[in-house]
Amino acid sequence: MIDLHIINSEESGEVPFTRDQIADFLYEHLDEFGDAREHILASIAYAYGEENGQDGFVLVASDGKQLVGAVVINDTNMGGYIPEHILVYIATHGDYRGQGVGSRMMERILERTEGDVALHVEHDNPARHLYEKYDFTNKYLEYRHSK
C-alpha cells in the first residue's frame, strides 16, 4: 500500500524521509529531466520556509520504508499575474510508474493548494500527459536569459 505524507518542514513532526533522501531520490528518478542535486536541495529548503518569504511543502509517497515518489511545491506568495504555487519537481520510482502513484500525488497536491499551480516541462517529457490529464495548459512559451 502506498502512503502519502505532506512535509512542511523537518520540524513539522515525524518526517518519514530526510531532505537528503528526498533530494537523492529526485536526482535519480527525474532521469534526464532533472537538475543538479544542490538545486533540488535549494527547492526543498524553500518549501520548508528556511528564509523569510519562502514557503511550500514536500509530498512523499512511500511503500513501507521505501520512497517511491516525491513532489516539491514552492509557494510564490503572489497571485493573479504569477501563480501562487510552482510545482518544482515530481517523480515516481521507475518500478512504480504506471501504477497510479503519480496521479495520486497530483490529486493530493491539487487538493492541498489554493490558487494556480504552474510547472515547467520539456516538450519531450512523457509526464506531459499526466499534467494534461489534470487540466494543466500551455499558455506561454518560456524564454530564459541565463548568465
Side-chain angles (χ1 to χ4, degrees):
M1 180 174 154
I2 305 299
D3 294 314
L4 301 179
H5 310 273
I6 297 278
I7 307 168
N8 292 324
S9 73
E10 290 174 335
E11 291 77 41
S12 65
E14 186 176 326
V15 177
F17 301 98
T18 67
R19 71 176 67 197
D20 283 322
Q21 289 172 311
I22 296 165
D24 290 342
F25 175 86
L26 287 167
Y27 184 76
E28 179 179 349
H29 294 284
L30 286 167
D31 301 325
E32 70 268 23
F33 304 106
D35 290 326
R37 188 175 182 278
E38 65 263 19
H39 295 159
I40 295 169
L41 281 167
S43 73
I44 294 169
Y46 190 105
Y48 285 177
E50 288 192 352
E51 299 291 329
N52 194 21
Q54 296 180 343
D55 200 6
F57 63 92
V58 173
L59 171 77
V60 294
S62 63
D63 187 0
K65 294 191 182 277
Q66 180 180 357
L67 186 58
V68 299
V71 180
V72 177
I73 298 286
N74 287 171
D75 293 348
T76 66
N77 298 309
M78 297 181 202
Y81 64 100
I82 298 289
E84 289 87 348
H85 314 279
I86 306 294
L87 192 164
V88 185
Y89 299 110
I90 182 169
T92 302
H93 189 290
D95 294 342
Y96 287 78
R97 291 183 186 151
Q99 298 180 29
V101 175
S103 292
R104 285 194 56 212
M105 291 190 302
M106 185 64 75
E107 289 167 8
R108 184 65 184 106
I109 63 169
L110 293 175
E111 289 170 2
R112 172 78 164 62
T113 55
E114 292 184 25
D116 293 339
V117 178
L119 59 87
H120 293 99
V121 61
E122 295 179 35
H123 65 88
D124 59 342
N125 187 331
R128 281 183 35 222
H129 302 292
L130 174 67
Y131 309 139
E132 291 165 357
K133 175 181 171 183
Y134 288 95
D135 297 325
F136 282 82
T137 59
N138 183 8
K139 185 175 178 183
Y140 303 104
L141 289 174
E142 176 181 315
Y143 289 89
R144 188 176 291 198
H145 180 266
S146 299
K147 293 185 178 196

